[in-house]
Amino acid sequence: MNQIVNRRYYISLSILAVILFAGCAPKNEQSSMSNAQTQAPEKVELTVSAAASLTDALREVQTAYESKNKQIKLNFNFGASGVLQQQIEQGAPTDLFFSAAAKNMKTLIDKQLIDSSEQKNLLMNELVIVVPSDSKAVLHQINDLAGPDIKHLAVGEPQTVPAGSYAKEALTNVKLWDPLQGKIVQGKDVRQVLTYVESSNAEAGFVYKTDALTSKKVKVALSVDTQSYTPIAYPAGIVKASKHKKETSDFFTFLESKEAQAIFMKYGFTIPK
């Protein structure tokens, strides 16, 4: 009986010692433990490779999305859709691809780098011809590009820049692509084409309507006949190699939201019906 009482006595002392020790732990240690428990989740960085013509709209989308999703950091890689496509093919870390042409998305789907079920056409655009804002050149029709007022015509590199490919298609349809070769100055993306016209290094250039709206240094001289080129669709798709599929999917869903669509329409894009 005495042994049982003694054992209970020592157990009680041990429990009391543990309680006292915990209560006497330095406050900074308790604070550290508390901070560790309440520490915010680590930020997830998503890399979005997007067509250069999406730059302004996506910067505003970024502000709207990150303000509501503090754990997400969006990193954009803007450039010509063809170049971005090649980067993804070569293994460049990318979570989402947002192209200015369906053909670049199709290539990545065919190469099984993007699943067809995880991509969709989100936006539409139009092709226009711009001239410097102080230009006296008058363009009534696309054939006027062959006139003496236009000595340099800026066009995106057709192989990698969708806007250049659309421009080549439109010019080819009116049998002007070959005759204008002596005037054509190629840009690495549509924003460089815009810069050429803004700086008067080219008297005219083919850009998207959305690009023309971003600059006060150019004016739209002519809207290109939409029947003369392939409809300009902007598909977005989740890259299979993404290490953050859920977070990327959530951002994709936001791009389809009314809030995001309102931002895109503000910059001149239209939403497919």
Side-chain angles (χ1 to χ4, degrees):
M1 177 68 72
N2 289 337
Q3 290 179 349
I4 294 174
V5 171
N6 288 338
R7 185 177 303 164
R8 288 177 178 174
Y9 173 74
Y10 286 119
I11 290 173
S12 298
L13 284 179
S14 299
I15 293 173
L16 181 60
V18 170
I19 293 173
L20 290 173
F21 178 78
C24 294
K27 290 185 178 180
N28 61 341
E29 289 185 15
Q30 293 181 31
S31 177
S32 297
M33 294 171 60
S34 176
N35 289 338
Q37 293 172 349
T38 60
Q39 188 176 10
E42 185 176 348
K43 275 201 172 186
V44 172
E45 295 194 14
L46 301 180
T47 299
V48 180
S49 289
S53 52
L54 289 163
T55 301
D56 298 289
L58 281 180
R59 287 299 185 195
E60 188 166 333
V61 167
Q62 176 183 23
T63 299
Y65 191 72
E66 290 182 352
S67 67
K68 296 180 179 180
N69 298 271
K70 304 294 186 182
Q71 79 285 9
I72 300 296
K73 170 62 178 174
L74 297 174
N75 295 319
F76 290 103
N77 175 28
F78 292 109
S81 297
V83 172
L84 299 176
Q85 169 205 316
Q86 292 169 5
Q87 290 175 354
I88 294 172
E89 290 173 346
Q90 294 164 7
T94 308
D95 297 291
L96 185 81
F97 178 46
F98 206 158
S99 174
K103 67 177 183 179
N104 301 112
M105 183 65 70
K106 184 179 184 305
T107 297
L108 293 180
I109 291 173
D110 291 343
K111 293 190 175 184
Q112 299 185 348
L113 296 173
I114 289 179
D115 194 313
S116 60
S117 66
E118 294 186 314
Q119 63 86 39
K120 183 180 180 180
N121 286 339
L122 298 184
L123 306 171
M124 301 294 290
N125 211 337
E126 296 176 25
L127 196 65
V128 299
I129 299 172
V130 293
V131 296
S133 56
D134 60 354
S135 173
K136 299 297 189 295
V138 178
L139 302 178
H140 296 292
Q141 56 184 351
I142 196 169
N143 298 72
D144 292 336
L145 292 172
D149 288 341
I150 308 302
K151 297 178 176 60
H152 304 90
L153 176 63
V155 177
E157 204 286 309
Q159 295 302 315
T160 57
V161 183
S165 177
Y166 298 128
K168 179 180 179 180
E169 188 178 354
L171 289 170
T172 300
N173 279 331
V174 292
K175 297 179 171 53
L176 277 179
W177 177 251
D178 290 332
L180 289 178
Q181 284 305 298
K183 295 185 176 186
I184 289 178
V185 179
Q186 296 189 354
K188 65 183 178 69
D189 57 42
V190 71
R191 286 306 173 93
Q192 187 173 69
V193 170
L194 183 66
T195 300
Y196 285 156
V197 181
E198 287 178 327
S199 60
S200 295
N201 284 313
E203 288 76 28
F206 282 86
V207 299
Y208 297 122
K209 180 181 75 173
T210 52
D211 294 298
L213 293 174
T214 67
S215 176
K216 294 181 179 180
K217 296 180 180 180
V218 304
K219 59 185 178 183
V220 175
L222 186 68
S223 292
V224 182
D225 181 3
T226 56
Q227 300 300 312
S228 67
Y229 58 89
T230 304
I232 302 173
Y234 281 66
I238 299 173
V239 179
K240 283 185 179 182
S242 171
K243 296 180 180 179
H244 308 289
K245 283 291 187 67
K246 181 186 181 302
E247 291 83 0
T248 305
S249 180
D250 290 342
F251 178 57
F252 193 111
T253 299
F254 179 76
L255 291 175
E256 297 181 86
S257 70
K258 289 185 177 180
E259 181 179 356
Q261 288 180 350
I263 293 173
F264 288 123
M265 288 189 288
K266 169 185 170 183
Y267 285 91
F269 292 96
T270 55
I271 309 301
K273 295 180 180 180

